Amino acid sequence: MEQRYRWKNKQLREHVEVLNGKLSPTMVLKNANYLHSIFKKWVTGHIWIYEDRIVYVGEKLPKSLGSCEIVDCSDYYLVPGYIEPHVHPFQLYNPHSFAEYASQTGTTTFINDNLMLFLELRKKKAFSLLESLRKLPVTMYWWTRFDSQTEMQDEEVTFSHGEVKSWLEHDAVVQGGELTAWPKLLEGDDMLLHWIQEAKRLNKVIEGHLPGASEKTLAKLNLLGIDGDHEAMTGEDVYKRLLQGLTTTLRHSSIRPDLPQLIKGIQEQGIDQFDLMMYTTDGSTPEFYEEGVLDRLISIAIEEGIPLIDAYLMASYNVARYYNMTDLHGVIATGRIANINFLREKDQPTPVSVISKGKWLKKEEAATAFPAQPDWSKFGMPSLDLKWDLTMDDLQFSMPFGIEMVNDVITKPYSVNIDASGDELQEGYDENFLMLADKHGKWRISTMLKGVSTEVQGFASSFSNTGDIIVIGKSKQEMLHAFNRMKELGGGIVLSENEQVLHEIELPVAGLMSNKDMKAVIQEEKQLKKLLFERGYQFNDPIYTLLFLQSTHLPYIRITQQGMYDVMKKTVLFPSIMR
């Protein structure tokens, strides 16, 4: 794998021969005014690139030029390629389409969540996919989960010691986490602690998922091996994490667009050192990225008063240092991978040109060719083939209490006071039928959902935390109609009304991801949101509502494979029903 031996012996010898004058660089960036991450200064010099590596920076020009491409950089400011440290690359888009899109705004290195791969694929197929994605002109690393962030049936089989250990030992994996099961760790789960110890032995970091954690809890988790966290929501939260020595990632996402507030809080706390801070967009839904990726966050940081150089290092060098990879990333210096962004002005972080792995991905505002998406079915992620039918007999909703949405993702229980035995619920009220059904057709859990919409007749989605099927609506007949269309698509999201499909998003990659480019997916999501808003969806992010209905790292009541689950009491209130 690339991460074990990034360059073979023969290549390393060739890199030296470039400096000896016996080989020509493939590209020379002349008269470059570039940000040097170690000096924290703008430096002027020449940058030699041979294939995908920077082989020299300094005052000298090569004696042998051959067919070398020479670029005069006098009119630009060069900064290291941006690194996204916390990517969930499965939010309707896929790892390939997100990377292609993000690279156009300067993000060329990605630390990706493996949750969907862990749940959907055997490791042999998953590792083959990682090897395929490695060949893209961007750089992808991964982290491995230790838990599913829901209550699964047979979770101990899915997250077995052998599976987790194989992922941890993989060369493309640089981190364990994000650890949503940290309460179990504090309660004495020694398997979690063992995996953390294994990660440390392999010189890999552990990321926590610690919203609302107290100072004492942060200290305990630091002692047990947590290195960083991205769940700070106030300046005080940032201070508490830094005080305990945790690297703190500042989040600005579709669910939590917190960066301006966080920076104001940081300033109020008197924090003026930023070496242990990074940014993340935290797997935002597609529309959020219309205005950019990390370039947007850097711009916000500059506008809010973060020192200019620190604003860039938080998207490059700080990330590389946290992941122990400054020998490859985050610095424009000899020996590093040639990931370089060309800016018109120092305070304009959206690049006009992008070099990644020594190749142009964008040149003078024009995108260059990017490799086609892989054949996902070849890697074990074909379209969804549901070999069962949903029937009216399945649509029985007789629970005494249901789930009420507090916001996009937070829920609470509520007592059901309406008659849910009929085939339709009255429009104008915010109560809907809700079902989670096993994608293999073995079980279901049915309840009521309050607060999500007032006029959605039928809605079906194969996009969920575990890839199981979510069906919502006021009309059982329309719920069946939406489900049947979703089944025909081989996976997707379908909104049905008056026996017509109002809108659909096809998700042919395992029923979870689109194989379209990001711009197309953005438009599909925008249209879905528009239609849902018109039908009484009162929050902002319906895609995350779908994703987190099962997520037991958030309060208070969730539907899971095991049944209705009380997060605070860690109890299954009503078990799922076998079909």
Side-chain angles (χ1 to χ4, degrees):
M1 285 294 292
E2 178 180 28
Q3 286 76 16
R4 177 173 290 171
Y5 297 117
R6 186 61 179 78
W7 296 280
K8 297 178 181 178
N9 287 2
K10 180 177 180 292
Q11 292 175 298
L12 295 175
R13 298 294 184 190
E14 288 175 349
H15 299 166
V16 174
E17 291 296 85
V18 175
L19 269 69
N20 289 336
K22 295 181 179 179
L23 285 176
S24 167
T26 51
M27 186 183 297
V28 172
L29 308 180
K30 287 180 58 178
N31 308 316
N33 188 16
Y34 64 96
L35 177 59
H36 197 284
S37 306
I38 296 169
F39 291 143
K40 291 191 177 183
K41 291 181 179 178
W42 298 91
V43 176
T44 302
H46 310 302
I47 302 167
W48 306 7
I49 297 171
Y50 183 75
E51 295 178 344
D52 62 346
R53 194 182 194 193
I54 299 171
V55 296
Y56 172 81
V57 297
E59 298 178 357
K60 301 183 185 302
L61 285 169
K63 295 177 182 178
S64 173
L65 288 175
S67 59
C68 171
E69 180 180 0
I70 300 174
V71 183
D72 188 345
C73 300
S74 303
D75 294 334
Y76 305 101
Y77 297 93
L78 275 55
V79 296
Y82 309 142
I83 308 171
E84 229 300 3
H86 189 90
V87 186
H88 300 283
F90 310 107
Q91 313 296 38
L92 304 187
Y93 46 79
N94 63 62
H96 181 289
S97 60
F98 180 71
E100 179 180 8
Y101 181 83
S103 69
Q104 293 301 299
T105 53
T107 301
T108 52
T109 301
F110 306 85
I111 318 294
N112 290 323
D113 181 7
N114 80 332
L115 180 60
M116 294 303 184
L117 303 186
F118 209 125
L119 296 181
E120 293 295 321
L121 302 179
R122 304 300 297 174
K123 63 187 177 187
K124 184 176 180 180
K125 289 285 189 183
F127 294 167
S128 295
L129 177 59
L130 267 55
E131 174 67 13
S132 174
L133 295 172
R134 179 186 71 82
K135 298 172 184 175
L136 294 175
V138 295
T139 305
M140 287 194 186
Y141 300 99
W142 298 81
W143 79 74
T144 184
R145 295 279 189 152
F146 294 163
D147 64 278
S148 66
Q149 73 180 31
T150 185
E151 293 299 309
M152 292 179 61
Q153 295 183 355
D154 303 320
E155 178 161 346
E156 68 280 359
V157 175
T158 303
F159 286 86
S160 68
H161 176 62
E163 290 290 317
V164 172
K165 194 166 183 291
S166 293
W167 275 93
L168 263 183
E169 292 175 345
H170 196 282
D171 298 304
V173 172
V174 297
Q175 171 177 272
E178 57 184 297
L179 193 63
T180 57
W182 59 267
K184 292 181 180 178
L185 178 65
L186 289 179
E187 290 163 7
D189 190 319
D190 276 342
M191 184 56 75
L192 284 175
L193 187 55
H194 175 69
W195 290 336
I196 291 172
Q197 293 276 56
E198 281 293 289
K200 298 295 184 177
R201 181 180 67 82
L202 295 164
N203 200 30
K204 299 178 181 184
V205 295
I206 300 292
E207 185 184 30
H209 184 281
L210 316 173
S214 68
E215 183 180 61
K216 195 170 182 180
T217 295
L218 293 170
K220 290 177 184 178
L221 291 168
N222 195 336
L223 290 173
L224 293 173
I226 302 295
D227 297 290
D229 176 66
H230 63 283
E231 288 289 333
M233 290 178 273
T234 65
E236 184 181 1
D237 286 346
V238 174
Y239 181 84
K240 287 191 297 186
R241 283 155 174 76
L242 294 175
L243 185 68
Q244 300 303 325
L246 296 175
T247 294
T248 304
T249 305
L250 308 183
R251 175 174 49 192
H252 191 74
S253 69
S254 53
I255 285 285
R256 302 282 321 191
D258 289 344
L259 190 56
Q261 170 192 332
L262 284 170
I263 293 173
K264 287 183 175 66
I266 287 167
Q267 293 163 342
E268 290 169 0
Q269 293 289 326
I271 299 169
D272 59 3
Q273 298 297 314
F274 305 93
D275 291 350
L276 293 186
M277 293 190 210
M278 311 182 289
Y279 315 107
T280 184
T281 58
D282 196 13
S284 293
T285 43
E287 184 184 1
F288 181 83
Y289 291 113
E290 273 196 309
E291 297 179 31
V293 188
L294 287 184
D295 59 316
R296 178 184 180 189
L297 275 59
I298 298 167
S299 182
I300 292 171
I302 293 170
E303 291 169 4
E304 295 293 335
I306 297 292
L308 184 88
I309 289 175
D310 282 306
Y312 284 105
L313 297 186
M314 288 163 67
S316 54
Y317 184 66
N318 292 7
V319 187
R321 185 170 52 196
Y322 175 69
Y323 286 107
N324 303 310
M325 56 176 70
T326 53
D327 58 323
L328 296 176
H329 297 286
V331 191
I332 298 176
T334 299
R336 276 62 177 190
I337 299 171
N339 297 338
I340 300 172
N341 292 333
F342 293 65
L343 314 180
R344 286 287 184 205
E345 301 293 342
K346 290 180 180 177
D347 61 353
Q348 295 178 10
T350 303
V352 294
S353 299
V354 177
I355 290 175
S356 179
K357 291 184 177 178
K359 298 180 190 282
W360 295 105
L361 293 187
K362 180 181 182 182
K363 194 170 185 180
E364 292 298 324
E365 302 287 4
T368 61
F370 202 89
Q373 290 197 30
D375 179 353
W376 297 99
S377 62
K378 174 183 172 184
F379 297 103
M381 303 187 85
S383 58
L384 201 61
D385 182 18
L386 299 182
K387 299 186 183 300
W388 54 279
D389 294 316
L390 194 65
T391 69
M392 289 295 281
D393 288 340
D394 292 312
L395 300 177
Q396 304 298 320
F397 301 88
S398 56
M399 279 197 188
F401 74 88
I403 298 173
E404 181 175 357
M405 301 298 303
V406 177
N407 60 28
D408 301 77
V409 298
I410 302 299
T411 65
K412 66 180 182 181
Y414 87 101
S415 297
V416 177
N417 296 315
I418 64 170
D419 181 5
S421 61
D423 290 344
E424 293 186 1
L425 298 174
Q426 186 174 349
E427 291 189 359
Y429 294 90
D430 63 349
E431 288 170 297
N432 290 263
F433 299 120
L434 168 65
M435 171 185 289
L436 177 71
D438 174 32
K439 62 184 173 184
H440 303 297
K442 295 180 179 178
W443 52 262
R444 66 174 172 84
I445 181 76
S446 303
T447 185
M448 302 294 291
L449 182 64
K450 180 177 173 59
V452 70
S453 74
T454 55
E455 298 176 43
V456 168
Q457 291 185 18
F459 184 85
S461 173
S462 59
F463 176 81
S464 67
N465 185 301
T466 56
D468 295 310
I469 310 303
I470 294 172
V471 189
I472 299 171
K474 287 187 168 293
S475 164
K476 293 181 180 179
Q477 195 60 49
E478 292 298 330
M479 292 165 71
L480 288 176
H481 188 258
F483 171 85
N484 289 332
R485 178 55 184 162
M486 181 272 297
K487 181 179 176 180
E488 289 175 7
L489 291 174
I493 298 173
V494 176
L495 180 63
S496 175
E497 187 171 293
N498 298 327
E499 298 184 5
Q500 299 292 321
V501 172
L502 286 184
H503 187 57
E504 61 188 31
I505 301 176
E506 190 174 359
L507 301 176
V509 185
L512 298 167
M513 295 174 281
S514 174
N515 58 7
K516 297 179 181 178
D517 64 53
M518 272 287 286
K519 290 183 179 178
V521 177
I522 286 170
Q523 294 308 312
E524 289 181 338
E525 187 214 8
K526 287 175 73 173
Q527 178 63 11
L528 176 67
K529 290 172 71 173
K530 175 178 179 294
L531 292 168
L532 290 176
F533 292 151
E534 290 171 355
R535 284 153 183 78
Y537 178 77
Q538 59 181 310
F539 306 118
N540 183 60
D541 208 330
I543 300 304
Y544 258 101
T545 297
L546 289 172
L547 186 66
F548 279 178
L549 276 172
Q550 298 167 267
S551 296
T552 54
H553 65 291
L554 295 170
Y556 288 93
I557 300 294
R558 302 286 154 177
I559 50 171
T560 74
Q561 290 185 357
Q562 292 190 18
M564 288 276 284
Y565 188 78
D566 186 318
V567 174
M568 307 308 288
K569 295 180 180 178
K570 300 179 178 59
T571 303
V572 175
L573 301 172
F574 294 94
S576 51
I577 300 170
M578 299 306 291
R579 298 181 68 246

